[in-house]
Amino acid sequence: MPVDMLALVTDLAGETAEVRELVSRLDETGWRTPTPAAGWTIADQVTHLAFFDDAAVIAATDPERFARELGDVAAVPSPDDIAARYRGLTGVETLDWFVASRQRLIEVFGSIDPATRLPWFGPPMSAASAVTARIMETWAHGQDIADALGVTRIPTSRLKHVAHIGVRALPFSFMVHGQDVPTVPVTVELTGTDGELWTWGLAAGADRVTGPALDFCLLVTQRRHREDTSLAASGAIADRWLDIAQAFAGPPGPGRRPGQHSSTDLTSRFA
């Protein structure tokens, strides 16, 4: 089934709107609120998104410039360095940068063939995968902002993009931990936001992960510890995966501590 790029960028716009709503009434003190990501404030979460939005636009519009300025993975600043670089911006400047960068990204990617291969930090990816990754990143960093402010958003069907990346990243999760990539397939069956079943893998697979889609997305983006979810694993490979699952690129993340967020965080509402 062909990828619908318009639907993808529309979903990205939806995630963008949630982040904007979360931060729209913050004063300067509010922008400096610590988030669950150690050492990061709300402002750091937003500048992180803006920085990589700009990078994605360069990759799509000027691949040679991307290769020249950003293509050397070894020279890419760490997320902590990126956060530190932009801490002199005010809250208004931070939001203006994010809004402008995200709007440009949506405009650029809305007119690209979804199969177009684009350079990135590491292996190239399709334009469709690049937008899906921006959805995942926006949702995950939005979760950090929501947690910092003590609210939780209403889950939407856009979570399926996040879950899809989480499933596809299974081999990477093992590789980044220095472990052999399993040859045994893992079936994933998640209860979606409207009660429907989202599935990946073989129906008869012995290794299986089941549970709420929201919990799975929180786990693979490392916004919740496994013990604070309702996910279940059958089989040794599936069980090990849930301990190391990581949907984002880069080295293994520290994740969250058990009990860092109460179980009510998974069911409360963002108003």
Side-chain angles (χ1 to χ4, degrees), residues 190-243:
L190 305 175
T191 304
T193 51
D194 293 322
E196 72 277 28
L197 191 64
W198 299 346
T199 62
W200 291 263
L202 303 173
D207 277 77
R208 184 178 303 268
V209 170
T210 59
L214 174 59
D215 288 28
F216 182 78
C217 293
L218 289 165
L219 180 77
V220 298
T221 58
Q222 297 191 356
R223 266 55 187 183
R224 293 292 184 274
H225 191 275
R226 178 181 178 179
E227 293 180 13
D228 295 324
T229 73
S230 299
L231 297 172
S234 300
I237 298 301
D239 186 65
R240 177 58 182 152
W241 177 36
L242 290 190
D243 286 335

Side-chain angles (χ1 to χ4, degrees), residues 85-189:
R85 180 185 299 178
Y86 298 105
R87 284 187 180 136
L89 296 178
T90 66
V92 170
E93 290 169 337
T94 296
L95 183 56
D96 285 349
W97 178 23
F98 172 59
V99 170
S101 297
R102 181 54 57 87
Q103 184 58 39
R104 175 65 173 151
L105 184 145
I106 288 172
E107 291 171 357
V108 167
F109 278 82
S111 61
I112 294 178
D113 184 326
T116 301
R117 303 297 292 179
L118 302 175
W120 197 237
F121 304 99
M125 67 172 69
S126 70
S129 293
V131 175
T132 305
R134 299 316 298 147
I135 293 172
M136 181 273 291
E137 284 267 329
T138 305
W139 183 82
H141 290 284
Q143 185 64 46
D144 286 335
I145 295 169
D147 286 336
L149 296 174
V151 296
T152 301
R153 303 160 295 172
I154 298 173
T156 74
S157 61
R158 296 189 296 269
L159 284 178
K160 195 167 189 178
H161 299 299
V162 182
H164 181 69
I165 288 183
V167 172
R168 292 289 300 273
L170 183 152
F172 174 77
S173 298
F174 281 84
M175 286 189 296
V176 78
H177 282 84
Q179 301 180 25
D180 293 336
V181 176
T183 57
V184 176
V186 176
T187 300
V188 178
E189 297 179 338

